[in-house]
Amino acid sequence: TSSSSTSTGTMDVSTIAKNAMPSIVSITNQSVQEVQNYFSMFGYGAQTPQTEKTTSCGSGIIIGKNDPELLIVTNNHVVEDADTLSVSFVNNQVCKANIKGTDADNDLAVIAVPLSEIPDDTMSSIAVATMGDSDSVEVGEQVVAIGNALGYGQSVTTGIISAVDREVTIDDTTATLLQTDAAINPGNSGGALFNMKGEVIGINSAKYASDQVEGMGFAIPMATAESILEELMNQKTVDAS
């Protein structure tokens, strides 16, 4: 065996990170929202609406392509209410993205980048992620999380599977998730949770994590996501702008 693998076919964290980075993207969501100013709030002056541009960051995983588009999975809450979406690839190339399909109940979305907008050198540097079997994941198994934590760019964290089939209820919606003690922070949302074979077993969802606790990150299992993503990938792309 080499220094980066074992007889069971697993890899070390640095090898997983190196191999996985081409399949992970950073996503920037810019939206314009209406806000009340102080005077109109208290009935003074003209009731003219004020708008404010907000920017939020997340992550995504390249899952395939069709004839005109590169397809990327992320969390629905990463892309909702977007006026413009942009994707940054492993070589820092930034391209505009559009929404392909969303499933708010399962917090999943597929976005699309036109292949015509992606330079050749970027196409040669990116890769489609390899999907793994989340049903076979065991408690105590080592995992690696990669995502755009706090919008600083891709970062790598590692830990173990703390629990499987963990029921978590947020906003009256209950989801069955993988729990991990790998650090999952805002901006990691939509990024990948890898097993030690470098396969995606979950989609990280910081939305379900509380800032009052440590070591409790959650990911949507690929076994749950795959059939949903197949459906979303076949929907008609909607221009985010």
Side-chain angles (χ1 to χ4, degrees):
T1 61
S2 69
S3 61
S4 62
S5 64
T6 70
S7 59
T8 60
T10 60
M11 297 179 285
D12 62 27
V13 174
S14 62
T15 303
I16 290 170
K18 181 179 179 181
N19 292 346
M21 284 295 186
S23 67
I24 306 298
V25 302
S26 299
I27 299 172
T28 301
N29 173 340
Q30 288 190 322
S31 62
V32 177
Q33 298 177 348
E34 190 172 298
V35 294
Q36 280 188 312
N37 61 32
Y38 176 86
F39 292 104
S40 63
M41 188 183 304
F42 291 98
Y44 301 117
Q47 301 289 317
T48 53
Q50 303 293 307
T51 58
E52 182 178 83
K53 180 178 284 189
T54 61
T55 301
S56 59
C57 298
S59 306
I61 310 164
I62 300 173
I63 55 170
K65 63 180 180 179
N66 55 30
D67 286 341
E69 302 164 320
L70 187 74
L71 302 175
I72 297 164
V73 59
T74 185
N75 288 136
N76 179 67
H77 75 265
V78 169
V79 300
E80 65 184 350
D81 300 324
D83 288 300
T84 59
L85 282 175
S86 59
V87 167
S88 178
F89 295 103
V90 64
N91 65 346
N92 297 319
Q93 173 71 47
V94 177
C95 294
K96 179 187 173 184
N98 299 309
I99 293 174
K100 186 79 171 170
T102 61
D103 184 330
D105 288 342
N106 291 287
D107 198 20
L108 291 169
V110 172
I111 63 175
V113 178
L115 294 176
S116 60
E117 300 295 318
I118 305 175
D120 290 343
D121 62 334
T122 299
M123 285 299 300
S124 64
S125 67
I126 61 179
V128 174
T130 301
M131 302 300 162
D133 179 12
S134 61
D135 285 338
S136 66
V137 172
E138 298 181 350
V139 172
E141 184 176 329
Q142 189 175 3
V143 288
V144 176
I146 302 179
N148 181 22
L150 302 181
Y152 290 144
Q154 306 300 0
S155 62
V156 180
T157 57
T158 187
I160 61 168
I161 293 292
S162 305
V164 296
D165 299 330
R166 182 70 85 203
E167 286 197 351
V168 179
T169 301
I170 299 290
D171 298 333
D172 298 323
T173 299
T174 299
T176 303
L177 306 172
L178 295 171
Q179 182 184 326
T180 179
D181 66 349
I184 307 291
N185 293 293
N188 275 121
S189 296
L193 189 68
F194 293 93
N195 62 19
M196 299 311 288
K197 294 179 182 178
E199 301 166 334
V200 180
I201 56 169
I203 300 169
N204 298 324
S205 185
K207 181 178 181 179
Y208 297 112
S210 167
D211 58 10
Q212 298 174 347
V213 299
E214 289 186 26
M216 289 186 69
F218 296 95
I220 303 166
M222 283 310 303
T224 300
E226 279 179 324
S227 61
I228 298 168
L229 296 179
E230 283 290 332
E231 182 178 334
L232 297 182
M233 287 168 67
N234 288 317
Q235 294 186 15
K236 183 179 179 180
T237 304
V238 178
D239 195 322
S241 62

